[in-house]
């Protein structure tokens, strides 16, 4: 990558502009946020006696947008403090400041003339080293570039972020005719490495890739709904998870997008394509336009296809609209053989096949929608993108489909599905039929752990990014060193092994603990170091509490003691391994999952890591070394014998006692879960590679296992102070009696029991305290009720 972006400017402080600025701030790029100068004073400004010439008024729009970032949910920021990296300004006073940035992103209204006018102004202060991009959702990049100098056009392209920019993985990069090809590739790499995005190169066509296919799919769904007489609930039941799509399915998605926005996106295709049949598809149905005319725009207006209101009982209820009468009625439960079959099937491929194979009316709806989307996607190869891979990735990253169109086609059987389409009179593109006629049965294939896709009538290998390690592919290449039902140890190259969890939800049970113990011995003898990572949906949701509950209900206390002892011993083996250990958590990393990371020499976490010791939520305390590790950190923060440990310990007590979970990797640092040595990686796909590099660096530097240090405890004085704080919470009605009991146990363990303050204790001493407290709490009926509630309801019980 030959570009370096140290500073950026975003022009337009609306939802998208401020969201992009926030994400640039997230990854450490200071950003100037500009907007127009207001023409009127606000009531608050008038009250303060300000004038339209006051600097605060002139930059009010950008400043207000920055202030709103901290209040927006879900947060656009990894850490609220990152707003300090965004500077507000306005286009009249501060336009010349963009001469000092490396990247300018235009994010103003979706109007070609307005964008051209702004680019004209930008070029007056532009320097050849500055990259300029437009975040348009579908306006022609070439049309925008008309009238610009050749030098400017070489540095200009589209960069279409999806909303919200922090959370949506897709970034479409759209070069114009004069854009420097090397700059396009550099921006792709920058987007992947620095911004953490999945980047596809799109062609300059209406709505580019994802919105072109996605909008088409939503519109044909509406047409099939009208043709088959389906209700809103029925359509969503058949076009959501049962089809490998998000829970928002069709109509919740439209409500989230905004019906007026959706019509605008559809019109952008309808008004800019020549094919009459395509224009008809992109003509919004009457029912949709009627809802917009009434102002029923979806979530932003409070109602759309769904309406949430208070019912007679006082509880919230969600109604759905009848598109024939435009009246809202209570939702009706939808069930059928095909939907049940899809629910029972595992994985998107099997769910899709189960839904389509059942032969009822919901199968028919799903098939009629899907076949049109598959054919349309095939027709657009070469027009909207160069490859089927880019189309598939755009739909997965931009619309959260589990399978892209061509992956779906492979899953349901390419040859068989094409035969069915043609028997029903659906015209399949010639290139697809020619591909099948040559004896091919899929668009993708695997060979020796490598993936290939069809391109120009032949299979082309998918180039794996240097910074990506695919554990599934490595396993297909027979790189498994050891394995059992819950975990595997995999050779990831250069003498580094990866311990992968793969139990249901990656919950830690005997199988994972056994593999941890085996892995530490194997790595000690034969490897340079160990990465603890996996590529499941979540890193680890904690220990298997079902087993604990069953043992507690049977009063098998010795069995529970053995389970906790094994957990502690396994984590301790990780900590005392004579080779470097790096943990690489991502997304949900809770309870025992955190305790599996804390012994590591370094944590290399994904930016989107939601990390926390949550045991109090099920009536317990951390007992796999979590309390011990926090006590050790407190001791290390205040190593002098006379230092008061309580200020440090109080923060830990609050974090663990309130089961605080980070909202990002950076937030985990703020909460004290991560240390200074720990790192955050923006792109989760690069996580295992970066963790491996950290292992190799430590090994190259001559890693020596640190001597085990004793832990200085706060003792009985610290315990009394922590328990007093908990009792005050109880007296104030903030916690229950059982919460207080748990808090007292936690305070006892974290402070090191009844020994005098400043006493140095061993790690095993602290582990014994953890285990004793944990064991006593499992015998409490209210703790067992909490565990039962979590297992059956999926949320914490406050009793």
């Amino acid at each position: 990558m030959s570009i370096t972006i140290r500073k950026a400017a975003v022009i337009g402080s609306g939802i998208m502009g401020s969201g992009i600025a926030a994400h640039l701030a997230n990854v450490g790029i200071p950003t100037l946020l500009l907007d127009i100068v207001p023409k009127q004073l606000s009531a608050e400004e008038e009250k303060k006696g300000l004038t339209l010439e006051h600097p605060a008024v002139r930059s009010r729009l950008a400043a207000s947008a920055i202030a709103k970032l901290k209040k927006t949910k879900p947060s656009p920021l990894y850490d609220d403090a990152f707003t300090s990296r965004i500077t507000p300004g306005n286009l009249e006073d501060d336009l010349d400041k963009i001469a000092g940035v490396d990247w300018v992103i235009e994010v103003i209204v979706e109007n070609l003339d307005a964008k051209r006018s702004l680019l004209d102004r930008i070029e007056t202060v532009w320097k050849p080293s500055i990259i300029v991009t437009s975040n348009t959702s579908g306006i022609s990049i070439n049309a925008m570039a008309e009238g610009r100098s050749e030098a400017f056009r070489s540095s200009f392209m589209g960069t279409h972020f999806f909303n919200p920019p922090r959370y949506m993985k897709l970034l479409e990069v759209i070069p114009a005719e004069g854009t420097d090809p090397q700059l396009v590739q550099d921006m792709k790499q920058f987007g992947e490495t620095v911004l953490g995005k999945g980047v596809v190169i799109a062609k300059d066509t209406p709505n580019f890739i994802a919105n072109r296919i996605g909008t088409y799919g939503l519109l044909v769904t509406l047409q099939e709904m009208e043709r088959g007489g389906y209700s809103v609930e029925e359509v969503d039941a058949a076009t959501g998870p049962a089809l490998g799509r998000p829970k928002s399915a069709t109509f919740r998605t439209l409500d989230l997008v905004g019906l007026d926005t959706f019509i605008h996106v559809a019109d952008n295709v309808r008004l800019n394509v020549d094919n009459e049949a395509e224009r008809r598809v992109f003509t919004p149905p009457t029912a949709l336009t009627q809802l917009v005319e009434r102002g029923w725009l979806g979530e932003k207006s409070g109602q759309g296809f769904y309406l949430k209101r208070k019912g007679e009982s006082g509880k919230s209820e969600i109604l759905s609209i009848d598109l024939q009468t435009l009246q809202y009625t209570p939702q009706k439960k939808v069930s059928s053989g095909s939907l049940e079959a899809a629910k029972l099937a595992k994985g998107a491929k099997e769910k899709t096949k189960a839904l389509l194979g059942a032969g009822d009316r919901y199968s028919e709806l799903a098939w009629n929608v899907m076949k049109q989307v598959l054919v349309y996607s095939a027709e657009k190869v070469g027009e909207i993108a160069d490859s089927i891979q880019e189309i598939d990735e755009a739909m997965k990253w931009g619309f959260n489909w589990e399978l892209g169109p061509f992956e779906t086609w492979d899953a349901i059987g390419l040859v068989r599905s094409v035969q069915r389409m043609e028997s029903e009179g659906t015209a399949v593109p010639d290139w697809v039929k020619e591909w099948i006629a040559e004896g091919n049965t899929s668009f993708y294939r695997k060979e020796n752990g490598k993936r290939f896709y069809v391109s120009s009538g032949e299979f082309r290998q998918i180039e794996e990014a240097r910074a990506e390690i695919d554990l599934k592919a490595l396993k297909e290449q027979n790189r498994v060193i050891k394995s059992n039902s819950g975990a595997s140890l995999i050779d990831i190259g250069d003498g580094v092994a990866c311990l992968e969890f793969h139990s249901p939800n990656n919950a830690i049970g005997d199988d994972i603990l056994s593999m941890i113990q085996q892995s530490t011995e194997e790595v000690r003898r034969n490897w340079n170091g160990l990465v603890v990572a996996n590529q499941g949906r979540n890193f680890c949701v904690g220990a298997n509490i079902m087993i604990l509950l069953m043992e507690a209900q049977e009063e098998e206390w010795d069995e529970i003691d053995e389970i906790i002892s094994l957990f502690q011993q396994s984590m301790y083996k990780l900590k005392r391994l004579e080779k470097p250990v790096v943990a690489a958590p991502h997304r949900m990393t809770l309870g025992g999952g955190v305790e599996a990371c804390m012994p590591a020499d370094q944590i290399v976490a994904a930016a989107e890591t939601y990390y926390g010791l949550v045991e109090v939520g099920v009536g317990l305390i951390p007992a796999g070394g979590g309390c011990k590790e926090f006590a050790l950190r407190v001791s290390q923060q205040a190593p002098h014998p006379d230092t008061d440990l309580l200020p440090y310990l109080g923060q830990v007590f609050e974090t663990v006692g309130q089961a605080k979970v980070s909202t990002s990797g950076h937030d985990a640092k703020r909460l004290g879960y991560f240390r200074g040595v720990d790192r955050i990686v923006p792109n989760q796909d690069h996580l295992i590679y970066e963790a491996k590099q950290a292992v190799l660096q430590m090994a190259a530097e001559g890693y020596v296992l640190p001597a085990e240090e004793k832990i200085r405890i706060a003792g009985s004085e610290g315990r009394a102070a922590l328990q007093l704080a908990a009792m005050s919470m109880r007296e104030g009605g903030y916690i229950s009696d059982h919460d207080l009991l748990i808090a007292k146990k936690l305070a006892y363990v974290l402070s090191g029991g009844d020994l005098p303050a400043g006493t140095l204790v061993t790690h095993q001493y602290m582990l014994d305290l953890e285990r004793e407290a944990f064991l006593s709490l499992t015998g409490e009926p209210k703790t067992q009720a909490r565990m039962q509630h979590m297992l059956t309801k999926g949320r914490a019980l406050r009793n």
Side-chain angles (χ1 to χ4, degrees):
M1 184 168 63
S2 59
I3 59 171
T4 301
I5 295 177
R6 300 182 186 86
K7 293 182 180 179
V10 174
I11 302 178
S13 66
I15 292 173
M16 278 304 297
S18 61
I20 292 170
H23 193 60
L24 293 173
N26 283 338
V27 299
I29 299 175
T31 300
L32 178 65
L33 182 61
L34 304 180
D35 212 317
I36 61 173
V37 173
K39 291 183 170 59
Q40 288 183 312
L41 292 172
S42 68
E44 187 177 348
E45 289 164 345
E46 287 182 347
K47 195 174 181 180
K48 290 180 178 179
L50 302 180
T51 69
L52 287 173
E53 296 307 309
H54 193 283
V57 175
R58 294 177 70 79
S59 297
R60 181 224 306 157
L61 295 180
S64 297
I66 295 168
K68 285 178 185 175
L69 292 173
K70 294 182 180 181
K71 302 173 185 176
T72 303
K73 300 297 177 187
S75 177
L77 298 158
Y78 291 154
D79 188 317
D80 284 353
F82 290 172
T83 53
S84 64
R85 297 171 179 172
I86 310 174
T87 303
N90 67 77
L91 281 168
E92 292 183 18
D93 303 325
D94 304 301
L95 184 65
D96 61 332
K97 291 179 182 177
I98 69 174
V101 307
D102 304 297
W103 182 17
V104 178
I105 313 172
E106 170 274 306
V107 201
I108 65 169
V109 63
E110 287 286 85
N111 177 279
L112 177 59
D113 290 339
K115 289 178 183 292
R116 278 178 172 165
S117 176
L118 177 59
L119 291 176
D120 188 39
R121 294 180 65 188
I122 290 172
E123 190 166 8
T124 63
V125 293
W126 172 81
K127 295 178 180 177
S129 60
I130 301 172
I131 302 162
V132 181
T133 70
S134 172
N135 180 73
T136 174
S137 60
I139 293 178
S140 171
I141 304 301
N142 283 310
M144 276 188 241
E146 287 179 9
R148 307 273 58 81
S149 69
E150 184 177 343
F152 186 93
R153 289 201 307 272
S154 72
S155 296
F156 177 67
M157 70 188 83
T159 48
H160 180 211
F161 289 80
F162 272 59
N163 191 33
R166 169 185 165 180
Y167 299 97
M168 293 302 293
K169 185 172 180 177
L170 180 61
L171 173 62
E172 292 177 323
V173 170
I174 312 101
E177 289 175 1
T179 310
D180 178 357
Q182 183 57 53
L183 181 60
V184 173
Q185 293 306 313
D186 287 343
M187 283 299 290
K188 182 178 190 295
Q189 189 177 352
F190 173 83
E192 292 168 346
T193 305
V194 179
L195 300 180
K197 296 300 177 187
V199 181
V200 297
I201 306 299
K203 292 182 178 290
D204 187 23
T205 56
N207 291 2
F208 312 128
I209 303 174
N211 276 342
R212 183 72 169 268
I213 302 294
T215 304
Y216 179 90
L218 289 166
L219 286 165
V220 296
T221 302
L222 287 165
Q223 292 164 6
E224 288 301 324
M225 174 191 187
E226 185 176 352
R227 189 176 295 123
Y230 296 94
S231 68
V232 165
E233 302 98 305
E234 288 178 315
V235 171
D236 274 357
T239 59
L243 204 57
R245 308 284 172 79
K247 289 181 180 178
S248 56
T250 297
F251 292 110
R252 292 189 192 282
T253 296
L254 286 169
D255 276 354
L256 286 167
V257 169
L259 276 57
D260 55 338
T261 301
F262 178 75
I263 287 179
H264 172 77
V265 173
D267 282 345
N268 194 52
V269 177
R270 181 176 62 85
L271 299 174
N272 290 287
V273 296
D274 297 325
N275 185 292
E276 190 56 41
E278 193 172 9
R279 282 183 174 178
R280 285 196 298 272
V281 172
F282 279 90
T283 301
T286 303
L288 194 60
T289 56
Q290 287 177 329
L291 293 180
V292 172
E293 287 168 1
R294 293 182 177 215
W296 298 354
L297 308 179
E299 279 211 353
K300 60 186 174 184
S301 68
Q303 64 188 102
F305 289 101
Y306 290 99
L307 167 65
K308 187 175 182 179
R309 70 177 187 188
K310 283 279 181 72
E312 293 180 3
S313 64
K315 292 184 177 180
S316 293
E317 61 179 3
I318 297 176
L319 310 180
S320 61
I321 199 164
D322 181 329
L323 291 180
Q324 300 296 318
T325 64
L326 296 187
Q327 299 295 313
Y328 289 97
T329 58
Q331 290 188 84
K332 295 175 184 174
K333 185 173 177 60
V334 180
S335 63
S336 75
S338 64
L339 296 173
E340 287 304 310
K343 189 180 293 184
L344 294 172
K346 291 189 176 180
K349 291 182 180 180
E350 296 305 316
K351 286 180 181 294
T352 302
K353 287 196 287 187
L355 176 62
L356 297 181
D360 61 21
R361 67 192 303 264
Y362 302 113
S363 280
E364 183 181 0
L365 170 62
W367 167 252
N368 286 339
V369 169
M370 180 177 286
K371 71 176 179 181
Q372 293 181 76
V373 172
L374 299 185
V375 167
Y376 187 72
S377 299
E379 290 173 346
K380 297 304 163 189
V381 175
E383 179 182 334
I384 64 174
D386 282 331
S387 73
I388 66 168
Q389 183 193 8
E390 285 171 313
I391 292 175
D392 277 349
E393 288 179 335
M395 298 316 300
K396 290 188 291 182
W397 296 338
F399 276 74
N400 293 320
W401 291 7
E402 291 189 53
L403 299 171
F406 298 95
E407 291 172 329
T408 300
W409 219 329
D410 280 359
I412 64 176
L414 174 59
V415 176
R416 185 171 60 252
S417 60
V418 166
Q419 289 171 345
R420 181 177 174 185
M421 290 174 188
E422 292 192 300
S423 72
E424 295 171 352
T426 300
V428 177
D430 289 341
W431 77 264
V432 175
K433 292 189 289 185
E434 290 166 5
W435 180 244
I436 293 172
E438 291 172 9
N440 297 292
T441 58
S442 66
F443 292 116
Y444 292 93
R445 80 174 187 198
K446 288 184 180 179
E447 192 175 297
N448 299 322
K450 300 187 183 299
R451 292 186 73 211
F452 300 81
Y453 68 96
V454 60
S455 177
S456 301
E458 61 182 20
F459 275 117
R460 178 180 298 179
Q461 184 179 335
I462 296 174
E463 297 296 328
E464 300 295 340
R466 182 184 66 87
E468 293 183 20
I469 292 175
D470 185 345
L471 295 181
K472 185 177 180 181
L474 291 176
K475 287 191 281 189
E476 290 171 354
Q477 295 170 30
N478 299 315
R479 301 274 286 273
V480 176
I481 305 162
K482 291 178 178 291
S483 186
N484 65 21
S485 60
S488 296
L489 187 66
I490 303 165
D491 173 8
I492 58 173
D494 300 312
V496 180
C498 177
L499 176 61
E500 175 203 34
F501 301 166
H502 48 66
S503 63
N505 294 318
N506 288 343
I508 298 176
D510 287 351
D511 45 8
I512 288 180
L513 296 175
S514 172
M515 188 52 59
I516 289 174
Q517 302 226 8
Q518 293 179 54
S519 296
T520 53
E521 291 305 315
E522 171 68 22
V523 172
R524 176 178 288 112
R525 291 193 303 267
N526 301 315
W527 300 82
N528 293 327
L530 178 67
V531 169
V532 181
N534 63 71
Q535 291 172 323
R537 178 173 176 79
N538 297 303
F539 177 81
C540 178
V541 297
N544 190 331
I545 61 172
M546 181 180 290
I547 293 173
L548 282 171
L549 178 60
M550 290 170 60
E551 298 290 3
Q553 290 173 337
E554 295 294 326
E555 299 186 358
E556 296 286 354
W557 311 121
D558 289 343
E559 291 290 331
I560 295 176
D561 191 49
E562 285 184 23
I563 291 170
I564 303 309
S565 294
L566 177 62
F567 202 116
Q568 291 182 339
Q569 292 164 19
S570 301
M571 301 305 129
Y572 190 70
K573 280 182 177 289
L574 277 177
K575 187 172 185 68
R576 300 309 299 165
L577 180 59
E578 292 93 339
K579 303 290 179 68
V581 177
V582 174
H586 66 275
R587 295 187 64 83
M588 299 299 289
T589 304
L590 306 174
V594 171
E595 291 177 307
C597 296
M598 293 181 87
D601 297 290
Q602 186 178 11
I603 292 172
V604 176
E608 297 298 342
T609 299
Y610 318 123
Y611 194 92
L613 290 167
V614 295
E615 285 82 354
V616 298
V618 288
L620 300 167
I621 68 164
C627 291
K628 182 262 293 183
E629 284 296 312
F630 258 137
L632 175 62
R633 292 182 188 182
V634 168
S635 176
Q636 291 169 336
Q637 284 176 301
H640 193 275
D642 297 328
T643 303
D644 182 8
L645 298 175
L646 194 58
Y648 305 98
L649 196 62
Q651 181 182 351
V652 170
F653 182 63
E654 180 180 319
T655 296
V656 180
Q658 295 182 13
K660 290 185 178 180
V661 176
S662 72
T663 57
S664 68
H666 292 85
D667 192 45
K669 276 197 171 184
R670 182 187 66 82
L671 290 171
Y673 284 120
F674 292 166
R675 304 154 295 185
V677 69
D678 299 329
R679 288 179 48 220
I680 311 297
V681 174
N683 192 329
Q684 187 175 308
D685 294 340
H686 297 178
L687 193 59
I688 297 178
Y689 172 85
E690 293 293 343
K692 174 185 168 182
Q693 297 309 115
V695 166
L696 291 173
Q697 182 176 345
M698 281 188 271
E701 293 171 350
Y703 177 84
V704 176
L705 178 66
E708 181 171 291
E709 57 185 296
K710 288 193 172 182
I711 301 169
R712 178 171 284 105
I713 59 170
S716 56
E717 296 176 17
R719 172 182 59 79
L722 296 180
Q723 290 183 350
L724 180 61
M727 291 168 67
S728 297
M729 293 280 287
R730 178 67 192 101
E731 289 174 8
Y734 296 106
I735 62 175
S736 68
D737 287 337
H738 193 53
D739 291 327
L740 179 60
L741 173 65
I742 299 164
K744 286 182 174 180
K745 296 277 188 184
L746 178 63
Y748 185 83
V749 174
L750 286 173
S751 59
D754 288 323
L755 296 175
T759 301
L760 295 174
V761 300
T762 65
H763 287 237
Q764 189 58 52
Y765 170 82
M766 293 298 294
L767 290 174
D768 289 343
L769 290 183
E770 281 186 357
R771 195 173 69 258
E772 290 164 7
F774 187 96
L775 193 60
S776 68
L777 286 169
T778 57
E780 294 287 336
K782 288 189 175 181
T783 285
Q784 293 178 21
R786 288 190 180 193
M787 287 193 280
Q788 183 72 54
H789 194 269
M790 180 62 72
L791 287 168
T792 56
K793 303 291 186 181
R795 59 181 184 273
L797 171 68
R798 300 304 302 272
N799 57 356

